[in-house]
Amino acid sequence: MGDFYRLIGNPVGHSKSPLIHAAFARQLGIDLTYDSVLAPLDGFAATVAALAAAGCKGANVTVPFKIAAFALCTRLSARARAAGAVNTLTFDAGAIAGDNTDGAGLVADITGNAGLAIAGQRVLVVGAGGAARGALLPLIEQGPATLTLVNRTAATAAAVAAQFDFPIDVRAFAELRGPFDIVINATSASLTGALPPLPACVFGAGTLALDMMYGAASTPFMAFAAEHGAATRDGLGMLVEQAAEAFYGWRGVRPATAAVLASLRAAA
Ligand code: ATR
């Protein structure tokens, strides 16, 4: 039997990750299995320990366990440290290495799939929770001209920005002046059908507006951005790219993503 990997979350039922990793393995002729595991809300550490003891090679971690995963690791990558959260675990002889591939996935989706450079661009990140924190270091490494952070709770944005060695411009929603070249919705607002209180001026004809959420329908953020002239993108490409980055970390080979993303879009 080949190596086995898992996705740990609660809930995990609707995740597309098993499909994505199965497609990567097929494409590269690697014999592995990747399935979802529903961990009890108070049983993440026990679930991880049982998987590692059973010989599992690695796991992805999703809602709501990314911070618990961070706390459990015996080793952390720089980008996991910057994010304060872990979405990829690698088990090796009792050690647990933690990485965060979400931000790299976001960057790969924008620069690769959308074909847009981040270097030299004016970038706005909306939100200051785990998803936003995970994106900041990989975005900074691309060399944006400016990086602006806006959050409903201003103090959270200020505290997050202070952790990075880059002049992040922290603004209140009402203070935002645009347009920006790239606007990233890293809030969880779309989950509840809500729209962050963004002024329309952040969007222009040359703006790419990306919502980290994905689903069959356009989110309120994407609809609002499109109304004001922006090109829009959901988080499906980011999902496929963060999976490819995790796969690369585990196996040392990088799967091609375009066909996998296209088939997920066709099935949506
Ligand atoms: P995640 O891990 O998805 O980032 P999180 O850490 O709970 O989740 O963070 C949620 C983010 O979405 C926060 O930035 C939150 O803003 P606050 O810090 O002010 O709570 C933001 N958020 C959630 N609902 C929102 C809404 N309706 N409008 C604007 N921002 C919202």
Side-chain angles (χ1 to χ4, degrees):
M1 198 184 99
D3 290 339
F4 73 98
Y5 297 83
R6 294 291 183 260
L7 170 71
I8 311 170
N10 187 335
V12 283
H14 296 299
S15 174
K16 296 184 190 301
S17 292
L19 278 176
I20 296 170
H21 282 279
F24 290 164
R26 249 192 331 272
Q27 175 200 118
L28 293 164
I30 295 173
D31 180 21
L32 61 79
T33 55
Y34 182 111
D35 297 306
S36 300
V37 176
L38 179 72
L41 289 175
D42 62 352
F44 176 72
T47 301
V48 168
L51 285 173
C56 183
K57 294 288 180 192
N60 284 133
V61 179
T62 187
V63 176
F65 298 126
K66 290 185 186 183
I67 291 171
F70 179 88
L72 216 60
C73 291
T74 54
R75 225 171 45 234
L76 289 163
S77 66
R79 59 195 185 184
R81 241 180 254 284
V86 157
N87 80 330
T88 305
L89 301 171
T90 303
F91 305 123
D92 182 21
I96 306 177
D99 193 7
N100 190 313
T101 66
D102 287 329
L106 172 72
V107 165
D109 185 53
I110 294 171
T111 59
N113 300 328
L116 201 71
I118 295 169
Q121 304 293 296
R122 297 161 298 179
V123 178
L124 172 64
V125 173
V126 188
R133 276 202 312 272
L136 289 173
L137 184 62
L139 286 171
I140 288 168
E141 286 172 349
Q142 293 294 304
T146 62
L147 181 56
T148 304
L149 187 62
V150 65
N151 193 47
R152 190 172 55 180
T153 309
T156 314
V160 167
Q163 291 166 21
F164 293 88
D165 187 18
F166 186 88
I168 298 176
D169 185 23
V170 179
R171 298 271 159 176
F173 281 101
E175 294 172 349
L176 290 171
R177 299 287 174 270
F180 290 87
D181 301 305
I182 302 171
V183 179
I184 297 159
N185 184 18
T187 72
S188 53
S190 302
L191 279 177
T192 56
L195 177 67
L198 285 163
C201 69
V202 303
F203 303 110
T207 304
L208 174 69
L210 186 151
D211 199 324
M212 288 193 183
M213 297 289 151
Y214 63 88
S218 169
T219 67
F221 166 81
M222 288 164 67
F224 182 66
E227 256 171 53
H228 296 284
T232 62
R233 218 172 155 74
D234 70 4
L236 193 60
M238 174 180 169
L239 178 78
V240 172
E241 297 298 338
Q242 66 75 30
E245 188 73 15
F247 195 100
Y248 176 69
W250 289 328
R251 310 298 309 196
V253 277
R254 196 172 283 284
T257 52
V260 178
L261 178 55
S263 74
L264 285 177
R265 284 229 186 274

